[in-house]
Amino acid sequence: MKNLTYCRIVLLGPPGSGKGTQAQMLSEFTGLKHIASGNLFRDHLRRGTELGTKASKFMEKGLLVPDRITIKMVTEAVLDSSCSSGFMLDGFPRNLAQAESLDDLLQGRNSAADLSLLLVVPEAHLIRRMLNRGRPDDTIDTIKTRLKIFRQETEPLIDYYRDRIQFEEIDGLGDIEEVQLRMRGVLTSSL
Ligand code: ADP
């Protein structure tokens, strides 16, 4: 990896693992742009766009939004000038097709992801955290669907990145600040 102010990071972790919170804090620490696919969808929904309305039908069931919609939206965000000195992706890629599309996108610009960080949290904690969070898509049935999709579609990306780029696991248990310090430690020592 090059340096903290110029790198492309892919964050992996199950729903409820705290990726979003940690990525936001890590983005303040590094100055890297935080791109969270879930937030992009929720922004669209708030603004009442067609994309937002389409996506919400999948989100409220805990299903993945179709790749065609998701990949286009994230590609636009990654190509934005605010990402010219790197970015931290959170919630994307979530399956193999999305990971390959990201590779193609970066390869087209003669670059690649530098580092993948996996936030590890046991499933019992994830369910508790999401139920406490109380987002509209945090009902017990939706949570179970999201965890199942994570195991089936997203977990294979752990090996995908482990085989291709620098890969680090971080223990996601403990309070927010504690986990953040661990993440900063890993990032700093990955340089
Ligand atoms: P969480 O990590 O807690 O599941 P997110 O905010 O990352 O929350 O995602 C919320 C929902 O947005 C997902 O359940 C899914 O419906 C949709 N979504 C987010 N990212 C993607 C993606 N890369 N591909 C398909 N759907 C996505």
Side-chain angles (χ1 to χ4, degrees):
M1 210 163 75
K2 290 157 192 151
N3 62 62
L4 265 190
T5 53
Y6 185 74
C7 57
R8 287 145 301 224
I9 301 172
V10 174
L11 288 173
L12 294 176
S17 58
K19 282 193 315 293
T21 308
Q22 294 299 334
Q24 190 52 47
M25 292 166 83
L26 216 50
S27 156
E28 282 157 27
F29 175 66
T30 56
L32 292 171
K33 174 86 176 169
H34 173 208
I35 304 175
S37 48
N39 291 348
L40 293 176
F41 284 131
R42 283 185 287 274
D43 271 355
H44 272 278
L45 190 60
R46 257 192 301 274
R47 287 187 277 124
T49 69
E50 197 187 328
L51 190 155
T53 314
K54 265 190 201 148
S56 72
K57 298 202 168 53
F58 297 90
M59 293 168 78
E60 63 199 22
K61 296 189 191 111
L63 299 172
L64 293 188
V65 177
D67 285 345
R68 195 176 43 81
I69 302 177
T70 307
I71 290 171
K72 182 166 180 281
M73 178 185 73
V74 175
T75 298
E76 273 168 23
V78 168
L79 292 177
D80 191 86
S81 59
S82 62
C83 293
S84 55
S85 54
F87 52 80
M88 219 177 320
L89 273 175
D90 157 16
F92 184 96
R94 252 176 161 95
N95 62 25
L96 200 58
Q98 294 181 8
E100 286 169 352
S101 85
L102 177 66
D103 283 352
D104 290 347
L105 172 68
L106 296 176
Q107 228 166 60
R109 306 164 79 212
N110 284 323
S111 75
D114 302 294
L115 171 68
S116 176
L117 299 176
L118 170 67
L119 209 49
V120 182
V121 176
E123 201 160 300
H125 291 263
L126 299 172
I127 296 176
R128 197 158 357 112
R129 283 185 188 184
M130 283 189 272
L131 285 174
N132 285 335
R133 191 167 64 176
R135 243 172 33 196
D137 59 342
D138 284 338
T139 64
I140 190 70
D141 285 347
T142 313
I143 289 171
K144 284 190 177 151
T145 305
R146 280 151 68 199
L147 288 171
K148 189 169 146 218
I149 292 182
F150 175 79
R151 284 192 298 267
Q152 290 174 343
E153 303 216 27
T154 314
E155 234 166 34
L157 298 186
I158 295 174
D159 284 339
Y160 182 87
Y161 283 112
R162 211 197 290 274
D163 289 347
R164 285 171 175 77
I165 60 175
Q166 187 174 356
F167 179 90
E168 305 288 344
E169 283 185 21
I170 293 144
D171 174 7
L173 282 182
D175 59 39
I176 292 177
E177 286 72 24
E178 200 179 329
V179 176
Q180 179 64 199
L181 285 180
R182 274 181 217 141
M183 293 193 86
R184 290 183 186 182
V186 166
L187 244 190
T188 314
S189 59
S190 301
L191 292 178

